[in-house]
């Protein structure tokens, strides 16, 4: 990220302002945290794939007026404040935040869950862990202008929202629970979550988290809903979604959060291991989880529901082609299913080439051709039930690839007994598609797997 700074207190906003250089080239990322005196604090990946906090001392004596910012090429010293952790990924889309006492609140990803720590900006040492007993996803942090207090919103897989207020007492933040959303007729204590591991094709141990109602009969006959994302270094788990929890409490089944390589669950290297020409490892990991669910007698082949959203749905399309017999239902919402179209004709094409392989190079073309969902549909395979829910106005995941995908499936299997369906969400590309997905998915699951809701 290219960055420059100016001092507003000693000059008028005009074209004659004087500037200094912070980062004159795109050598590393630089996400602002704030200023303490003449020191600028920021989060960066400079020599730190899992990110760290650093600072630059602002030397205003070097400020000068220029016609173009490119004339400023000074590279000030970057001083590490909070070093990179090898065992955890520092979130980039949420925080860090500058708080009272010149402290910095950081959200890490540890084993797929958000964990919050308060650090001293002066020493870089941990002062306290915030809400240490909560396991979930931070959805919002609001810091007051005084920085003496902030509110924190958190989702967990069984609770839609928890809100906490934190106030500075001069030494640390005291935490008060403001509200906890309750799901009528349920008790979170009735459910458990376990972390288990599957062995992928190359021997890598892949974590997954399985949730279920206490007392569920482990007889190999239960339905199992496997959700995963596995791309862009993102973490996609432990959040509340009505249809996920409804399935879990209503069908005596299992819900599984997968953590395949390509995601960010196990630090930055977890992402890079299944990026570009290595993308196949994401699919190998998901297949390994599905096979392990069967081996451990949680479920059986044909009773697994495979589901993903956005490029998580892309992964599910690839996995469905490669291990068709494992799954009973495959659900893909807003999923790009033609990677060639995604990279060359969508609004985000140039941004996804590095992630998926780059179809404009010979080696990238061959790698993507080997797994791109549309190009690998097989007329001789007995596919599971399929439901696609693209969004009409989604320029990032154009619905046209879904049209082609379902048309090809139906053409290849004209007399097939299992549903092969598509529903196009109108208007808003994201929200409406996700809302529609819930009840529609559960209806398809009931019909395809021959299951019904429990009575209590």
């Amino acid at each position: 990220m290219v960055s420059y700074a100016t001092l507003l207190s000693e000059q008028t906003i005009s074209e004659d302002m004087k500037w200094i250089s912070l980062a004159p080239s795109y050598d590393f990322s630089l996400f602002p945290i704030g200023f303490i005196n003449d020191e600028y604090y920021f989060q960066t990946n400079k020599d730190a794939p899992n990110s760290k906090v650093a600072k630059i001392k602002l030397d205003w004596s070097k400020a000068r007026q220029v016609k173009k910012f490119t004339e400023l090429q000074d590279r000030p010293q970057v001083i590490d404040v909070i070093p990179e952790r090898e065992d955890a990924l520092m979130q980039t889309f949420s925080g860090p935040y500058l708080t009272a006492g010149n402290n910095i609140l950081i959200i890490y990803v540890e084993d797929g869950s958000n964990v919050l720590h308060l650090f001293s900006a002066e020493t870089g040492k941990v002062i306290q862990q915030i809400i240490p007993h909560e396991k979930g996803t931070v959805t919002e942090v609001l810091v007051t202008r005084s920085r003496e207090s902030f509110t924190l919103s958190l989702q967990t897989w069984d609770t839609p929202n928890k809100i906490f207020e934190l106030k500075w007492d001069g030494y640390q933040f005291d935490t008060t629970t403001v509200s906890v959303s309750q799901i009528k007729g349920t008790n979170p204590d009735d459910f458990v979550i376990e972390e288990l591991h599957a062995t992928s094709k190359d021997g890598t141990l892949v974590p997954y988290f399985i949730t279920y109602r206490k007392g569920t009969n482990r007889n190999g006959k239960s339905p199992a809903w496997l959700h995963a994302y596995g791309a862009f270094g993102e973490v996609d788990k432990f959040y509340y979604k009505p249809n996920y929890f409804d399935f879990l409490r209503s069908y005596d089944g299992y819900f599984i959060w997968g953590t395949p390589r390509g995601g960010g669950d196990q630090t930055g290297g977890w992402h890079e291991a299944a990026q570009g020409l290595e993308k196949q490892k994401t699919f190998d990991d998901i297949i390994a989880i599905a096979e392990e669910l069967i081996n451990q007698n949680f479920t059986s082949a044909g009773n697994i529901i495979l589901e993903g959203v956005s490029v998580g749905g892309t992964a599910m399309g690839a996995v469905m082609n490669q291990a068709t017999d494992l799954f009973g239902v495959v659900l893909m919402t807003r999923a790009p299913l033609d990677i060639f179209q995604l990279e060359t004709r969508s609004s985000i094409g140039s941004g996804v080439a590095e992630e998926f392989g780059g179809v404009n190079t010979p080696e990238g073309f061959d790698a993507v051709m080997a797994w791109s969902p549309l190009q690998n549909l097989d007329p001789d395979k007995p596919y599971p039930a399929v439901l696609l829910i693209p969004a009409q106005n989604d320029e990032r995941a154009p619905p046209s690839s879904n049209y082609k995908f379902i048309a090809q499936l139906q053409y290849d299997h004209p007399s097939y007994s299992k549903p092969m369906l598509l529903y196009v969400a109108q208007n808003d590309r994201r929200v409406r598609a996700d809302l529609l997905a819930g009840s529609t998915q559960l209806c398809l699951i009931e019909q395809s797997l021959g299951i019904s809701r429990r009575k209590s």
Side-chain angles (χ1 to χ4, degrees):
M1 181 179 295
V2 174
S3 299
Y4 306 91
T6 189
L7 192 60
L8 293 177
S9 61
E10 297 181 2
Q11 55 187 333
T12 303
I13 297 177
S14 71
E15 62 182 12
D16 299 325
M17 296 172 68
K18 294 182 178 181
W19 298 82
I20 61 174
S21 170
L22 298 178
S25 63
Y26 292 92
D27 296 337
F28 53 87
S29 65
L30 190 152
F31 298 99
I33 298 174
F35 294 88
I36 299 176
N37 299 322
D38 277 339
E39 293 181 323
Y40 175 54
Y41 288 77
F42 55 94
Q43 180 180 343
T44 180
N45 65 355
K46 178 178 170 56
D47 303 318
N50 291 336
S51 290
K52 63 184 178 183
V53 172
K55 66 181 179 181
I56 292 174
K57 185 171 179 59
L58 304 178
D59 185 355
W60 297 114
S61 68
K62 295 184 178 180
R64 59 191 181 97
Q65 180 185 345
V66 294
K67 292 183 178 180
K68 296 181 179 180
F69 282 130
T70 53
E71 297 178 37
L72 299 171
Q73 290 296 314
D74 292 338
R75 297 176 182 271
Q77 181 184 9
V78 175
I79 303 168
D80 288 356
V81 177
I82 302 170
E84 175 193 27
R85 286 178 54 181
E86 294 185 358
D87 64 336
L89 182 68
M90 190 182 295
Q91 288 279 34
T92 56
F93 67 87
S94 181
Y97 302 90
L98 190 60
T99 70
N102 288 337
N103 297 310
I104 298 173
L105 177 68
I106 292 178
I107 303 174
Y108 285 103
V109 179
E110 297 180 10
D111 291 328
S113 183
N114 286 167
V115 178
L116 296 90
H117 293 285
L118 188 71
F119 288 82
S120 166
E122 179 181 354
T123 66
K125 303 295 185 182
V126 176
I127 295 176
Q128 71 178 115
Q129 183 176 347
I130 306 296
I131 54 170
H133 303 299
E134 296 289 344
K135 191 178 185 71
T137 298
V138 175
T139 56
E140 189 172 29
V141 177
L142 297 174
V143 181
T144 61
R145 292 189 64 182
S146 68
R147 300 175 180 164
E148 297 288 326
S149 65
F150 64 91
T151 56
L152 170 70
S153 298
L154 181 83
Q155 277 189 359
T156 63
W157 63 274
D158 58 2
T159 304
N161 199 28
K162 297 182 180 181
I163 300 177
F164 304 91
E165 183 178 34
L166 296 99
K167 292 184 177 180
W168 181 248
D169 67 2
Y171 301 96
Q172 64 178 15
F173 281 97
D174 291 331
T175 304
T176 302
T177 302
V178 176
S179 68
V180 177
S181 299
Q182 300 288 341
I183 305 169
K184 185 177 180 181
T186 67
N187 182 349
D189 292 337
D190 292 340
F191 300 88
V192 295
I193 184 166
E194 295 182 62
E195 180 180 1
L196 302 173
H197 294 81
T199 302
S200 194
K201 187 176 181 178
D202 63 359
T204 300
L205 287 179
V206 182
Y208 65 94
F209 297 84
I210 185 165
T211 67
Y212 54 93
R213 184 190 294 271
K214 292 178 181 176
T216 298
N217 188 9
R218 188 165 159 180
N219 57 12
K221 300 179 181 179
S222 299
W225 185 318
L226 172 54
H227 172 94
Y229 188 80
F232 295 107
E234 295 292 336
V235 176
D236 186 49
K237 64 171 53 62
F238 296 142
Y239 56 83
Y240 176 82
K241 199 169 185 179
N243 56 316
Y244 294 170
F245 192 75
D246 192 14
F247 167 82
L248 190 61
R249 69 173 180 168
S250 300
Y251 296 97
D252 289 323
Y254 297 91
F255 190 93
I256 299 92
W257 301 98
T259 64
R261 283 171 288 181
D265 307 84
Q266 306 293 317
T267 74
W270 201 246
H271 170 218
E272 295 166 1
Q275 190 179 19
L277 302 181
E278 300 297 322
K279 192 61 194 169
Q280 177 60 41
K281 291 179 181 176
T282 298
F283 319 135
D284 291 341
D285 291 355
I286 295 171
I287 292 170
I289 294 171
E291 291 174 338
E292 187 65 12
L293 293 172
I294 296 170
N295 293 339
Q296 294 299 322
N297 214 37
F298 289 111
T299 187
S300 54
N303 280 317
I304 299 176
I305 302 140
L306 192 63
E307 184 255 353
V309 178
S310 187
V311 295
T314 305
M316 299 317 175
V319 169
M320 177 184 74
N321 284 327
Q322 296 178 21
T324 308
D325 58 333
L326 294 180
F327 310 107
V329 179
V330 179
L331 309 169
M332 293 170 275
T333 303
R334 305 192 329 268
L337 297 174
D338 181 353
I339 301 303
F340 293 89
Q341 178 192 44
L342 180 69
E343 288 196 17
T344 60
R345 299 183 183 178
S346 76
S347 63
I348 61 169
S350 60
V352 300
E354 183 179 2
E355 185 68 23
F356 294 118
V359 300
N360 289 321
T361 66
E363 63 274 14
F365 184 98
D366 290 343
V368 171
M369 179 60 78
W371 63 262
S372 182
L374 175 65
Q375 285 75 23
N376 284 276
L377 288 173
D378 188 338
D380 297 323
K381 286 185 175 180
Y383 278 93
V386 174
L387 173 64
L388 309 179
I389 302 184
Q392 182 186 42
N393 299 322
D394 193 340
E395 74 281 358
R396 291 190 293 177
S400 55
S401 71
N402 284 233
Y403 304 158
K404 292 187 290 183
F405 189 90
I406 202 70
Q408 190 66 53
L409 263 181
Q410 293 176 344
Y411 177 82
D412 290 342
H413 305 275
S415 302
Y416 207 51
S417 60
K418 295 181 180 179
M420 294 178 172
L421 305 175
L422 176 144
Y423 185 95
V424 182
Q426 308 296 311
N427 302 320
D428 188 277
R429 67 181 185 198
R430 287 186 160 195
V431 176
R432 187 165 175 79
D434 288 343
L435 290 174
L436 282 167
S439 58
T440 308
Q441 289 175 347
L442 292 177
C443 288
L444 182 67
I445 290 168
E446 282 195 6
Q447 178 183 348
S448 301
L449 301 188
I451 59 176
S452 58
R453 288 177 176 269
R454 56 183 293 146
K455 296 181 180 179
S456 60

